[in-house]
Amino acid sequence: MKDTVKRIAIFVIYDKQGIIDGYCIHIIRELKSVCDRVAVICNGNMTDKSIEGLQEENLEVYVRKNEGYDATAYKYALEDIVGWDVLEGYDELILVNDSFYGPFWPLKDIVESMEEKNVDFWGLTGQVPMGNTFGDAYPEEILPYHIQTYFVVVHSHMLHDISFKAFWDNVKDIKEFTDAVTGFELLFTKYFTEKGFVSGTYVGSTFQENEKIENRIPYIMYSPCELIKKYHCPVVKRKCFALPYQDILHYSIGQDMSMIFETIESVSNYDVDMIWKHLIRIMEPGRLHQVLHLRYVLPEQTSLMTDHKTGYSKTAVIAHINYMELQDECISYLLHLPKEIDVFVTTKSGDIKRNIEKIFLDKGRKNISVIMIGNRGREIRGLLIECKDIFLNYEYICYVHDKRTTGGIADVKIGEKFFHTLWDSMLKSRAYIDNILSLFEKNKYIGLLAPPAPYHWSYFRYLGQEWTGNYQTTKELANRLRLNCVMQEEFAPFVLGTTFWCRTDALRPLFEYGFCESDFPEEPLALDGTFNHAIERIFQYVAQSQGYASGIVMSDADASSYLQDYHSMIIGVLNEYRKKARFPYFYEYLLDMSIPEEFIDFCVSFEKVYIYGTGRVAGRITNWLRTAGMEYEGYIVSDGHRDNAKWNGKSVYVLSEIEVENDKLGIILGLGKKYQKEVIPILKKKGYRNIYNILK
């Protein structure tokens, strides 16, 4: 590396809560290792603690309004913080934002390797030309090659050229994310390349060039593990963890993010704890559980635990037994437990208390206590009131309770199945219990493990709808507990049933709060919206507030049944759907599940609405319009492609028959992505402006 090179870095940070996380401090320290000056620009407010932490790094820290994303923050720093005159004294400029984790290798080595290349500016990664994914926000059909601007280095020749300042003078107001990409990132490389400057990237992109443009994807988003292992990519983008899961399923089975920590640790000494801590803090727990595949299948016959006594001595099981007819089954599960694990049973029945004490005594099991609880509050009050002090005396706790459903024979059998799902997932066998404790010991960020949600019989309709009217009461409880969590109504809780394994630290706020009997509603308990229902849904948010992630756990034998059941259920749903319509891809099926508000807004904005196409996608749009009770003029096809005068009872027109009336006419694209690339340029060339693309 050239020791005489004088560098300055501008690092832009934004955090909704104003917190600077460890992964950002790591980036800053790496920048300091190669730069003479590092200016940190905070978009939006920062907590005093975070600002103090930055100042301890001997940094310049500037806080501004959260406006214009990173592009406007860079411009602000260049013009108002550094100044163009001062910039003349530097040989290189590094522009960096906080949208990635890394670098996984010393930045000094990366910069040194790039100094050997004859380039004027470079980035860590670049994207080769690919199909336009921004719709009308970008005027061309193909997105140009560009360096991704989360990390850009500008060398002296370009830095001091008049065109560099001119570029920033022309940066327009940026209000939306798409503006930041189309109005800054896509333009940056193109602008300076056209000025004669040479660009480069640390991670090569030639492997993408062998693919057809229509088949190219943003690899940094969808294949991070491959980029790290095969192409020595030193970062993973934060957005990889936040992509809609249905988008991920377009290209893979979602395995990359479940392997990302193992991948990083296999190639570097980067502390992945920084990623865990940040993700747990900012992500909705259900989304984190989904993207990281925190759904564990553990052996029920083979123990993976190495130090049994240490694990057992820190563990207790609390069980609530309420029904006489279920006590024998509950006891059989409890007898799976190693003798070293303490057992506490809560009950309202003196007969159950005496029976359990006798059975355990006869079996030579002395480490059991049966606790009588009050009537008000059901099993949850026993856990939070009578067992409060017990809970806080251990490191790991399993909590289970019996369950019964009344009604006809079908209802009773369903209740039995739910009961066994809960207890099998928690206490299936001694080896299985060992493996749950081993999982906690192996991953220090897992704080809560729950059984899978029931799906059989009428429970099926609640999958994805687990709030069932309890969002507001749960939100109020979170505020009462002063939780620092991400709770969103559009993401339902996946931990239900008040049955779980946990680290006691993960749920500590629940037990330290000090609930009393009057907190619980009197019987008869309402079907929804009570304090009990809020408690049932709060566990994963308490764990998040404590810095832990939550997951689902089941035995390998049960997982086999679940896989078969899920497969059969999906086939059943699809077969019913196929009776009404045909669809080739999962994303097209999703289109029929809900009608976007923007689609309705578009349709009511014009006197005449046409659907372009007469295929599967056009059929989906037709169903939308009919479901919404909205009228449309008919269908449009390209000239020479009309096979029938009518389709779905409406006229089919060729494009040349339609007059351009932009104030009155709207066109909805009913075409697959392949044909859209041919049709959209034709429509724009003919002057049509009001085009709605449901697959954009």
Side-chain angles (χ1 to χ4, degrees):
M1 183 181 292
K2 299 175 183 178
D3 294 332
T4 58
V5 174
K6 188 176 181 182
R7 294 186 189 86
I8 181 172
I10 296 170
F11 182 41
V12 176
I13 298 175
Y14 167 72
D15 185 80
K16 189 175 181 180
Q17 297 176 334
I19 295 172
I20 304 300
D21 291 273
Y23 86 93
C24 287
I25 300 298
H26 174 78
I27 295 172
I28 288 168
R29 289 174 179 170
E30 289 298 306
L31 289 171
K32 287 172 64 178
S33 73
V34 297
C35 293
D36 300 274
R37 179 181 176 186
V38 178
V40 178
I41 313 299
C42 300
N43 277 352
N45 293 326
M46 290 287 116
T47 64
D48 292 341
K49 183 178 179 181
S50 291
I51 291 177
E52 288 171 7
L54 291 175
Q55 290 172 338
E56 287 175 4
E57 298 290 327
N58 295 316
L59 296 167
E60 305 169 49
V61 181
Y62 304 93
V63 179
R64 63 185 290 270
K65 289 183 179 180
N66 181 31
E67 296 175 345
Y69 292 84
D70 55 351
T72 307
Y74 291 149
K75 181 176 180 178
Y76 159 77
L78 291 170
E79 294 177 347
D80 299 339
I81 301 302
V82 179
W84 294 109
D85 291 341
V86 173
L87 199 62
E88 287 289 330
Y90 289 91
D91 301 304
E92 288 182 6
L93 167 69
I94 304 180
L95 302 175
V96 191
N97 67 36
D98 64 345
S99 65
F100 66 93
Y101 300 114
F104 305 137
W105 303 284
L107 183 58
K108 188 174 182 179
D109 294 345
I110 295 172
V111 170
E112 185 174 24
S113 70
M114 293 303 295
E115 290 291 323
E116 304 301 320
K117 298 185 179 182
N118 187 26
V119 296
D120 298 303
F121 66 108
W122 59 273
L124 293 177
T125 55
Q127 176 62 49
V128 298
M130 60 177 287
N132 183 1
T133 56
F134 293 96
D136 294 339
Y138 190 75
E140 304 295 333
E141 185 179 351
I142 302 299
L143 300 180
Y145 168 79
H146 59 281
I147 290 173
Q148 289 158 326
T149 53
Y150 63 88
F151 187 102
V152 177
V153 179
V154 181
H155 289 178
S156 180
H157 178 52
M158 179 172 139
L159 179 63
H160 299 142
D161 190 89
I162 191 172
S163 64
F164 188 72
K165 181 177 183 300
F167 174 84
W168 293 101
D169 288 342
N170 291 321
V171 169
K172 302 284 192 296
D173 288 340
I174 292 175
K175 299 185 182 303
E176 305 291 339
F177 173 73
T178 52
D179 298 334
V181 177
T182 60
F184 170 56
E185 181 164 270
L186 295 180
L187 292 182
F188 191 89
T189 304
K190 185 174 183 290
Y191 176 88
F192 289 108
T193 300
E194 290 176 350
K195 294 293 183 182
F197 297 105
V198 179
S199 68
T201 57
Y202 178 73
V203 179
S205 55
T206 53
F207 69 96
Q208 299 180 58
E209 295 169 358
N210 297 325
E211 300 173 340
K212 294 180 179 179
I213 285 182
E214 59 266 27
N215 294 333
R216 293 173 183 171
I217 64 173
Y219 274 88
I220 197 167
M221 295 300 177
Y222 294 101
S223 299
C225 287
E226 181 183 10
L227 286 179
I228 292 169
K229 288 188 291 186
K230 292 179 65 174
Y231 302 104
H232 207 61
C233 183
V235 300
V236 59
K237 291 284 282 180
R238 280 173 44 181
K239 194 172 182 179
C240 293
F241 298 90
L243 291 168
Y245 205 73
Q246 282 70 29
D247 287 359
I248 294 173
L249 293 179
H250 288 182
Y251 307 111
S252 71
I253 58 172
Q255 73 276 24
D256 264 60
M257 305 324 295
S258 67
M259 301 186 303
I260 195 67
F261 298 111
E262 179 182 343
T263 299
I264 294 170
E265 290 179 321
S266 71
V267 298
S268 81
N269 294 319
Y270 184 83
D271 184 3
V272 297
D273 283 7
M274 294 185 290
I275 304 179
W276 271 109
K277 290 176 181 177
H278 183 245
L279 291 175
I280 290 171
R281 180 176 70 82
I282 68 166
M283 285 190 71
E284 197 283 329
R287 291 194 70 182
L288 183 64
H289 154 260
Q290 182 185 56
V291 74
L292 293 184
H293 292 189
L294 302 181
R295 188 168 286 256
Y296 299 97
V297 175
L298 303 178
E300 65 175 65
Q301 298 296 330
T302 305
S303 173
L304 305 177
M305 181 177 279
T306 56
D307 189 351
H308 292 76
K309 288 190 176 181
T310 300
Y312 296 161
S313 64
K314 299 184 289 186
T315 305
V317 172
I318 302 174
H320 178 75
I321 302 177
N322 188 56
Y323 302 108
M324 292 289 293
E325 64 271 28
L326 294 177
Q327 63 173 318
D328 289 342
E329 285 193 80
C330 294
I331 291 169
S332 69
Y333 278 102
L334 296 176
L335 290 174
H336 289 159
L337 291 164
K339 292 182 179 180
E340 297 85 354
I341 293 180
D342 293 335
V343 179
F344 301 89
V345 176
T346 62
T347 185
K348 300 174 186 176
S349 167
D351 290 339
I352 290 176
K353 180 179 187 297
R354 287 185 287 273
N355 189 45
I356 291 174
E357 289 173 336
K358 182 179 185 307
I359 291 174
F360 270 74
L361 183 62
D362 291 345
K363 295 286 185 179
R365 306 291 291 267
K366 299 179 181 179
N367 60 331
I368 185 169
S369 301
V370 183
I371 302 164
M372 298 294 293
I373 67 171
N375 290 319
R376 186 169 168 177
R378 300 189 180 182
E379 78 280 355
I380 296 175
R381 66 84 45 82
L383 177 65
L384 295 181
I385 298 178
E386 280 83 358
C387 293
K388 169 188 170 182
D389 294 335
I390 293 169
F391 186 95
L392 296 173
N393 282 334
Y394 295 87
E395 187 171 345
Y396 303 116
I397 289 285
C398 172
Y399 180 71
V400 286
H401 61 87
D402 58 3
K403 187 170 184 64
R404 184 183 69 177
T405 304
T406 58
I409 184 63
D411 302 286
V412 172
K413 299 304 291 182
I414 290 304
E416 289 178 6
K417 175 60 180 173
F418 194 4
F419 164 73
H420 286 292
T421 296
L422 298 178
W423 287 68
D424 282 348
S425 298
M426 299 291 98
L427 302 172
K428 188 70 178 282
S429 66
R430 177 167 180 159
Y432 180 71
I433 294 164
D434 285 353
N435 295 332
I436 288 178
L437 293 173
S438 295
L439 175 57
F440 279 123
E441 293 287 330
K442 182 179 179 181
N443 190 333
K444 61 185 178 182
Y445 290 103
I446 298 299
L448 183 73
L449 293 170
Y455 56 86
H456 49 289
W457 192 57
S458 62
Y459 294 120
F460 177 75
R461 67 187 177 195
Y462 296 117
L463 291 178
Q465 304 291 324
E466 287 85 0
W467 281 123
T468 62
N470 291 285
Y471 173 75
Q472 193 56 44
T473 52
T474 310
K475 188 78 173 176
E476 291 169 0
L477 178 58
N479 292 335
R480 183 177 174 184
L481 294 172
R482 297 183 179 180
L483 301 184
N484 181 20
C485 63
V486 182
M487 186 183 297
Q488 299 168 338
E489 194 165 9
E490 59 266 36
F491 296 104
F494 64 95
V495 176
L496 295 170
T498 56
T499 298
F500 53 82
W501 274 93
C502 75
R503 299 179 192 273
T504 54
D505 186 56
L507 298 184
R508 188 172 297 276
L510 265 179
F511 293 85
E512 290 184 341
Y513 181 81
F515 293 107
C516 58
E517 186 174 89
S518 61
D519 288 310
F520 296 90
E522 295 182 357
E523 299 289 348
L525 193 65
L527 294 177
D528 246 339
T530 71
F531 176 78
N532 286 49
H533 294 100
I535 288 287
E536 185 178 357
R537 288 159 175 80
I538 200 71
F539 295 108
Q540 67 196 61
Y541 305 105
V542 179
Q544 180 190 25
S545 185
Q546 290 290 98
Y548 296 100
S550 301
I552 296 296
V553 66
M554 67 178 81
S555 72
D556 46 9
D558 289 340
S560 176
S561 297
Y562 266 72
L563 284 172
Q564 181 56 58
D565 291 350
Y566 285 156
H567 184 261
S568 300
M569 290 159 62
I570 291 172
I571 290 174
V573 170
L574 296 186
N575 283 341
E576 286 300 310
Y577 183 83
R578 288 186 181 106
K579 294 176 183 178
K580 302 177 181 178
R582 293 176 62 243
F583 56 93
Y585 302 115
F586 179 58
Y587 75 84
E588 288 193 25
Y589 166 67
L590 291 175
L591 290 178
D592 269 357
M593 302 303 289
S594 61
I595 304 176
E597 262 185 56
E598 62 179 24
F599 174 80
I600 301 296
D601 292 341
F602 180 88
C603 293
V604 300
S605 298
F606 305 102
E607 293 179 18
K608 301 176 183 179
V609 174
Y610 293 87
I611 300 173
Y612 205 115
T614 55
R616 287 186 290 262
V617 180
R620 308 288 84 74
I621 296 168
T622 302
N623 289 338
W624 274 4
L625 290 168
R626 290 176 176 174
T627 300
M630 304 184 73
E631 283 297 323
Y632 61 105
E633 297 296 313
Y635 303 89
I636 302 174
V637 294
S638 300
D639 287 25
H641 289 76
R642 178 166 51 191
D643 297 324
N644 299 291
K646 286 187 177 292
W647 193 66
N648 280 333
K650 292 282 188 178
S651 296
V652 179
Y653 304 89
V654 294
L655 183 58
S656 59
E657 294 176 333
I658 305 299
E659 183 180 352
V660 177
E661 301 175 277
N662 277 314
D663 293 336
K664 299 180 180 180
L665 184 147
I667 296 176
I668 306 169
L669 290 179
L671 303 167
K673 292 185 177 181
K674 176 181 178 181
Y675 298 106
Q676 286 179 14
K677 293 175 182 178
E678 301 173 9
V679 170
I680 291 175
I682 295 173
L683 289 173
K684 290 182 177 179
K685 187 175 181 180
K686 288 183 176 291
Y688 294 98
R689 295 198 305 268
N690 307 316
I691 304 168
Y692 184 85
N693 183 1
I694 65 172
L695 299 182
K696 61 184 176 182

